[in-house]
Amino acid sequence: MHSLASEVEVALKALAGPFSDRGRVDRAAERPRRDGLSPAAERGKQESLAADAGRGRSDEEKEENQMAIREIRARDLNARAFIEEKVREIRSAVGDGIAINALSGGVDSSTVTLLGHRALGRRLKTYFIQNGLMREGEAERIVALFRKFRVPVEVVDAQTKFFRALKGITDPEEKREAITQTFYRDVFGRLVKASKAKVLLQGTILTDIDETVAGIKRQHNVFEQLGIDPQKAFGYKILEPLVQLRKDGVRKVAKALGLPETVYGRMPFPGPALSARVIGEASPARIRLVRQATAIVEQELAKTRAFQYMAILHEDRVTGIRDGRREFGFQIEVRCWDSVDARTATPTRLPYAKLDRLARRLTSEVPGVVSVTYNITPKPPSTMEAV
Ligand code: XMP
């Protein structure tokens, strides 16, 4: 018998293994080798194989597992046929039981929710985990959208748990870990157990697996490829209907399912949500501040059609002046990226008038903000998120 907590710890250790600070590899050590594997990829592979061995699974099984994923490119994808096939697969995996999933409102989890609903109707239990780190109005917007599809979404208020886990943590990687543990162990793990669901539907896509195994980005939803058996670790089976697709493929399926462009065309948003946009401690007050700034940046830059844009709250404060008085206030950094796949990116050349407007709105509408900067550094050496 494995306790859930200890299994999650094993899972998290294996996930954290190939990564350095920020869940990313040391870039200096990232030069590709002649065999095509970067040192981090090799490390990731070795650690996942070691984890397999620890669980009595052979290397061949592991290889088979990875080989079993056949990529479907967006241009070759027949979205309707794909939907029918996945609906059939979900039905046969769940039988007459129930399945459960967490909906964040991003394109992947939204697509999985609709696939699951088509397959199972009310036998799919969908939860929105309110971790307190989401953007403004997110829970209401998502519940309302899915109501149109007759999909009931239960909002679970877990803010206290997440903020308690984040309290006093300033290190980026520790923040990510606190969120992952809180989600899988304290919040979602308990919900799955209470619901008696045997199957968890999850929106993992092929890029999540590639990046995790290669050590580029830690993805909290990848287990099997790192040698972790979710059935043993969490007591439930994980079904990943989108695992053969990349983002462009998922967008096609989402559109074919009837989701609106606000969902299928939505820009990426990190799993750790706004805590990735706060340098230093992600306290409720600091998250509130960055949330307000995010809403303004998203409104102002929506028409740019850039790959991703964001507001970041700095840890340091600076001296400003307001109404003739000194104000030791907050700094917001705006980032807006042009990119194809997030592996490299360049700052969008925004018109100066737009930057000017952002500075005016952020300093007048977000209490305490006295400084606004625009990032002009490409990735690399910058990364897209600041944490
Ligand atoms: P970076 O900051 O690594 O970001 O250049 C590249 C892309 O990945 C997203 N990102 C994350 N997504 N969990 C996620 O699910 C994370 O911890 C995370 N960190 C960065 C980021 O928003 C960008 O699209």
Side-chain angles (χ1 to χ4, degrees):
M1 266 293 282
H2 301 273
S3 82
L4 183 62
S6 70
E7 286 292 358
V8 172
E9 251 160 50
V10 172
L12 292 171
K13 259 198 202 138
L15 273 174
F19 302 94
S20 61
D21 183 40
R22 305 182 76 231
R24 304 177 176 97
V25 290
D26 172 3
R27 272 155 229 284
E30 198 39 35
R31 272 186 298 271
R33 299 185 333 191
R34 258 192 288 154
D35 62 6
L37 273 185
S38 69
E42 178 61 21
R43 256 194 329 272
K45 196 174 164 206
Q46 291 306 332
E47 298 209 10
S48 58
L49 290 175
D52 273 343
R55 295 187 174 279
R57 296 168 67 192
S58 68
D59 287 7
E60 294 90 72
E61 272 179 297
K62 161 84 176 8
E63 295 290 325
E64 263 171 34
N65 185 23
Q66 278 191 326
M67 293 197 16
I69 303 175
R70 184 179 55 85
E71 177 174 357
I72 305 174
R73 299 215 178 132
R75 65 167 186 265
D76 303 326
L77 175 71
N78 176 338
R80 284 185 192 287
F82 180 88
I83 291 166
E84 277 171 28
E85 186 187 318
K86 293 300 152 187
V87 164
R88 268 198 307 274
E89 280 177 19
I90 295 169
R91 275 191 194 136
S92 94
V94 178
D96 56 6
I98 61 168
I100 186 169
N101 80 315
L103 170 65
S104 71
V107 61
D108 305 338
S109 68
S110 298
T111 304
V112 163
T113 302
L114 280 196
L115 281 177
H117 185 72
R118 272 209 191 176
L120 307 170
R122 293 275 168 153
R123 286 187 297 122
L124 175 71
K125 304 280 172 223
T126 298
Y127 294 94
F128 178 93
I129 308 297
Q130 179 51 277
N131 56 15
L133 309 169
M134 297 298 195
R135 286 170 288 184
E136 206 167 271
E138 199 73 352
E140 299 75 14
R141 187 165 43 239
I142 287 153
V143 171
L145 171 70
F146 279 86
R147 195 178 294 130
K148 289 191 193 144
F149 290 93
R150 299 184 189 283
V151 179
V153 178
E154 191 174 324
V155 179
V156 177
D157 185 357
Q159 299 184 57
T160 317
K161 285 195 174 111
F162 280 90
F163 282 120
R164 201 182 295 138
L166 286 165
K167 196 169 169 52
I169 297 180
T170 54
D171 175 79
E173 186 51 19
E174 284 178 24
K175 268 193 216 172
R176 282 186 163 83
E177 187 139 329
I179 290 169
T180 307
Q181 291 231 26
T182 307
F183 184 85
Y184 279 99
R185 187 192 57 199
D186 299 342
V187 180
F188 207 55
R190 282 178 197 188
L191 278 176
V192 179
K193 293 223 147 163
S195 74
K196 304 220 181 331
K198 293 279 178 282
V199 175
L200 168 69
L201 295 185
Q202 191 155 265
T204 319
I205 66 171
L206 198 49
T207 317
D208 298 339
I209 289 171
D210 285 351
E211 293 189 348
T212 299
V213 173
I216 291 165
K217 191 173 70 177
R218 172 182 169 152
Q219 288 287 348
H220 72 274
N221 56 355
V222 174
F223 296 108
E224 203 107 37
Q225 286 69 25
L226 291 175
I228 297 153
D229 178 349
Q231 185 78 55
K232 281 192 195 149
F234 308 116
Y236 47 80
K237 185 178 155 94
I238 296 184
L239 260 193
E240 298 166 318
L242 307 179
V243 81
Q244 292 169 275
L245 306 179
R246 304 216 180 248
K247 202 63 123 192
D248 47 358
V250 181
R251 293 193 201 280
K252 251 177 107 169
V253 175
K255 192 173 178 187
L257 283 165
L259 282 161
E261 193 180 355
T262 48
V263 175
Y264 72 73
R266 206 165 190 201
M267 71 174 162
F269 188 68
L274 294 175
S275 79
R277 308 265 167 91
V278 168
I279 303 175
E281 187 182 344
S283 65
R286 290 165 63 72
I287 289 288
R288 237 184 343 265
L289 201 147
V290 87
R291 181 181 291 122
Q292 277 178 286
T294 300
I296 294 171
V297 169
E298 290 195 354
Q299 279 164 22
E300 288 295 329
L301 300 183
K303 290 213 175 90
T304 61
R305 300 205 153 253
F307 181 87
Q308 201 173 3
Y309 31 89
M310 59 191 74
I312 291 151
L313 172 63
H314 279 232
E315 194 166 22
D316 290 342
R317 288 197 287 160
V318 290
T319 300
I321 181 163
R322 202 189 303 271
D323 304 327
R325 296 177 71 154
R326 180 183 190 276
E327 187 176 338
F328 195 48
F330 304 113
Q331 302 187 70
I332 290 288
E333 177 186 335
V334 177
R335 293 184 176 195
C336 181
W337 296 108
D338 292 331
S339 178
V340 176
D341 56 11
R343 286 172 184 257
T344 60
T346 48
T348 307
R349 293 189 173 226
L350 294 175
Y352 201 87
K354 183 52 87 181
L355 293 171
D356 196 36
R357 197 174 147 75
L358 278 166
R360 279 173 209 277
R361 285 198 62 192
L362 288 164
T363 49
S364 62
E365 295 176 37
V366 187
V369 173
V370 294
S371 169
V372 175
T373 56
Y374 184 61
N375 172 61
I376 53 168
T377 323
K379 171 184 176 174
S382 178
T383 55
M384 298 176 77
E385 305 287 347
V387 163

